[in-house]
Amino acid sequence: MSDSDLPVVLIVEDEPDVAETYKLWLQQEYEVRMAQNGDEGLEQLDADVDVVLLDRMMPGLSGDEVLERIRERDLGCRVAMVTAVEPDFDILEMGFDAYLSKPIRSEQLHETVDNLLDRSEYDSLLQEYYALVEKQATLEATKSSAELAESGQYDELTQRVTEMRDDLSETLGGIEDDSDFIATLRGLSDDEDN
């Protein structure tokens, strides 16, 4: 967080109108920084940044390349890809925390930023689990059942999600499915707030 005590959101978007719209939606609740390309985004990235909203297709450094460099810096910020690029199985190798397909609505952007800030409070195992579940949900929403069934990568992802859910269930006690898991985490977060 920054000196303002508001969470810091960095918007890396090459379309000025889109970036300005996101800023207008978010500026009441967050300190918002804006960058028009990947290089500028990396220049503005520091330990104060909590969430990065990153366009995937930009001139110069692509969002994918910026994401790689963000993760190399290990600053602990959450990254949401906000893009018109339809997700494919290549997302399994990417280190993002959320994937939003344009066009997006204000509520969707707020919910994503809020969820990413909540995730920042959980330990690395929970963060890894959330990231994997997000990738699984993204693929399930955009790929046919046949494509999913044919993908060994998707099968490995599904197995890893199940293994991690079982491990977390043991740690947190009695979680049967993702709904129980999320409810348990929200309960933990509420307990911490009180």
Side-chain angles (χ1 to χ4, degrees):
M1 284 208 205
S2 69
D3 295 336
S4 72
D5 287 333
L6 291 175
V8 177
V9 177
L10 172 60
I11 300 167
V12 184
E13 169 63 62
D14 65 320
E15 295 179 46
D17 292 346
V18 172
E20 203 53 53
T21 299
Y22 296 166
K23 180 180 179 180
L24 288 171
W25 288 346
L26 297 172
Q27 67 187 0
Q28 294 299 312
E29 297 174 52
Y30 310 102
E31 179 183 322
V32 178
R33 299 179 187 176
M34 293 184 2
Q36 292 185 357
N37 59 56
D39 288 319
E40 190 178 315
L42 290 171
E43 286 173 19
Q44 292 198 38
L45 183 67
D46 59 31
D48 289 338
V49 174
D50 298 293
V51 174
V52 178
L53 301 175
L54 180 60
D55 186 16
R56 193 165 176 194
M57 296 299 288
M58 296 181 289
L61 280 180
S62 72
D64 296 4
E65 293 169 308
V66 173
L67 176 61
E68 239 178 80
R69 293 189 187 176
I70 289 171
R71 293 305 183 219
E72 287 170 2
R73 290 189 186 181
D74 197 27
L75 295 173
C77 63
R78 304 287 116 225
V79 179
M81 301 300 278
V82 185
T83 180
V85 176
E86 184 174 325
D88 204 347
F89 291 106
D90 66 330
I91 68 168
L92 296 173
E93 304 301 321
M94 297 172 65
F96 63 80
D97 300 289
Y99 197 100
L100 298 174
S101 295
K102 292 179 184 177
I104 61 171
R105 299 175 322 280
S106 173
E107 309 82 50
Q108 187 180 17
L109 190 62
H110 275 276
E111 183 177 300
T112 298
V113 171
D114 288 343
N115 286 340
L116 292 177
L117 289 169
D118 287 344
R119 285 187 210 174
S120 293
E121 297 176 17
Y122 304 136
D123 68 22
S124 61
L125 182 62
L126 294 176
Q127 291 174 11
E128 181 183 353
Y129 178 79
Y130 266 127
L132 291 174
V133 167
E134 180 78 23
K135 290 174 185 180
Q136 183 181 31
T138 298
L139 289 173
E140 289 173 353
T142 59
K143 297 294 179 188
S144 70
S145 297
E147 288 173 298
L148 294 173
E150 291 174 10
S151 171
Q153 289 176 305
Y154 176 76
D155 188 47
E156 289 173 18
L157 172 66
T158 302
Q159 289 175 12
R160 182 71 180 130
V161 166
T162 301
E163 290 168 7
M164 289 190 76
R165 182 174 40 242
D166 292 344
D167 291 347
L168 290 166
S169 180
E170 287 177 28
T171 302
L172 299 174
I175 298 171
E176 299 299 323
D177 60 26
D178 288 337
S179 298
D180 286 347
F181 177 76
I182 291 166
T184 300
L185 290 179
R186 286 197 176 127
L188 290 174
S189 180
D190 291 344
D191 291 345
E192 291 172 3
D193 292 340
N194 294 329

